[in-house]
C-alpha cells in the first residue's frame, strides 16, 4: 500500500528477486504486473500513461533488471539522457538500478561484506553524505559517477542502469 502513496517517488529494495517479481518465488512477493496495475503505469513510460512514476528505484535482488520491473515503476528499460527526458519526452528524469544476474548469496540472512561495502560506497558517493551522516565535503556525484567509483565490478552479478544515467541525488 505504501508504494501508492502520492509522496512516494524513490524506492530501495534488498532481498530476493527475479525478472518479474521482488520477494520469494512461492511466498510473499510482488510481481511487475501487480505493480503496473497498482501504480497505473503503462509498459511504455516514454509515451504511454504513467499514473505514478518513480524518480529512482534500486531493486537490489537477483535478475531484477531482466524483465518489466523498471517499466512497472514508470522508468524506461533503456538509457535516456537527461536532455531527452526534458526536451524530447517532457518528463522528469528517472533512473532504475537492478541486477542482470545473480548476486552474492547471504549467509544466514547476513549480507556479504563485499556487497555491503558496495551499497555503503554507492550511497555515500551519490548523496555526498558519509556513514556517520556528515557531509563528505565533496559535491554529490551523479548516478553514473557514483556507480563508476564504487567498484561494483567486483561483485558476482552485473548491475544495470536504465533511464537517466546522470540523475543527481538531490533533484
Amino acid at each position: 500500500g505504501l508504494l501508492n502513496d502520492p509522496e512516494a517517488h524513490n524506492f530501495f529494495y534488498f532481498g530476493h528477486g527475479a525478472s518479474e517479481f521482488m520477494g520469494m518465488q512461492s511466498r510473499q512477493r510482488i510481481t511487475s504486473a501487480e505493480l503496473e496495475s497498482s501504480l497505473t503505469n503503462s509498459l511504455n513510460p516514454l509515451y504511454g500513461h504513467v499514473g505514478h512514476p518513480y524518480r529512482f528505484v534500486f531493486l537490489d535482488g537477483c535478475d531484477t533488471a531482466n524483465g518489466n520491473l523498471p517499466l512497472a515503476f514508470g522508468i524506461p528499460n533503456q538509457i535516456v539522457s537527461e536532455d531527452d527526458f526534458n526536451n524530447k519526452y517532457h518528463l522528469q528524469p528517472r533512473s532504475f538500478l537492478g541486477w542482470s544476474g545473480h548476486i552474492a548469496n547471504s549467509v544466514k540472512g547476513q549480507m556479504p561484506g563485499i556487497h555491503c561495502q558496495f551499497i555503503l560506497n554507492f550511497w555515500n558517493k551519490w548523496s555526498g553524505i558519509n556513514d556517520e551522516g556528515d557531509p563528505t565535503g565533496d559535491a554529490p556525484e551523479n548516478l553514473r559517477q557514483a556507480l563508476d567509483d564504487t567498484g561494483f565490478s567486483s561483485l558476482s552479478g552485473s548491475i544495470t542502469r536504465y533511464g537517466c544515467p546522470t540523475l543527481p541525488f538531490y533533484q
Side-chain angles (χ1 to χ4, degrees):
L2 292 176
L3 288 169
N4 288 316
D5 186 308
E7 300 297 316
H9 294 285
N10 299 299
F11 184 70
F12 174 76
Y13 168 81
F14 172 76
H16 293 286
S19 62
E20 294 301 327
F21 64 85
M22 298 175 290
M24 300 292 288
Q25 174 72 25
S26 59
R27 290 190 252 158
Q28 295 179 331
R29 66 180 181 167
I30 186 166
T31 68
S32 59
E34 291 167 334
L35 282 168
E36 177 190 346
S37 174
S38 177
L39 299 174
T40 66
N41 293 330
S42 80
L43 289 182
N44 189 344
L46 295 177
Y47 295 105
H49 173 76
V50 181
H52 189 144
Y54 271 67
R55 177 188 161 274
F56 176 72
V57 173
F58 184 176
L59 302 182
D60 193 7
C62 296
D63 296 315
T64 52
N66 291 338
N68 290 329
L69 286 166
L71 301 171
F73 280 99
I75 301 170
N77 61 354
Q78 64 190 47
I79 296 294
V80 179
S81 72
E82 186 172 1
D83 186 57
D84 279 353
F85 263 111
N86 291 326
N87 300 315
K88 182 176 179 182
Y89 301 110
H90 307 287
L91 298 170
Q92 179 184 20
R94 8 186 135 128
S95 294
F96 174 90
L97 292 178
W99 296 94
S100 58
H102 293 284
I103 53 177
N105 292 327
S106 64
V107 177
K108 293 188 178 184
Q110 297 296 310
M111 182 187 297
I114 192 169
H115 192 94
C116 184
Q117 192 59 53
F118 160 74
I119 296 297
L120 290 173
N121 286 345
F122 167 70
W123 290 114
N124 291 351
K125 290 185 178 297
W126 195 36
S127 70
I129 304 292
N130 67 20
D131 293 345
E132 289 77 39
D134 299 319
T136 62
D138 298 326
E141 300 183 45
N142 70 44
L143 184 62
R144 178 179 33 222
Q145 292 167 329
L147 280 173
D148 289 347
D149 291 348
T150 59
F152 66 86
S153 61
S154 62
L155 295 172
S156 59
S158 177
I159 198 154
T160 300
R161 294 179 283 228
Y162 290 133
C164 181
T166 58
L167 187 74
F169 186 81
Y170 298 103
Q171 181 181 30

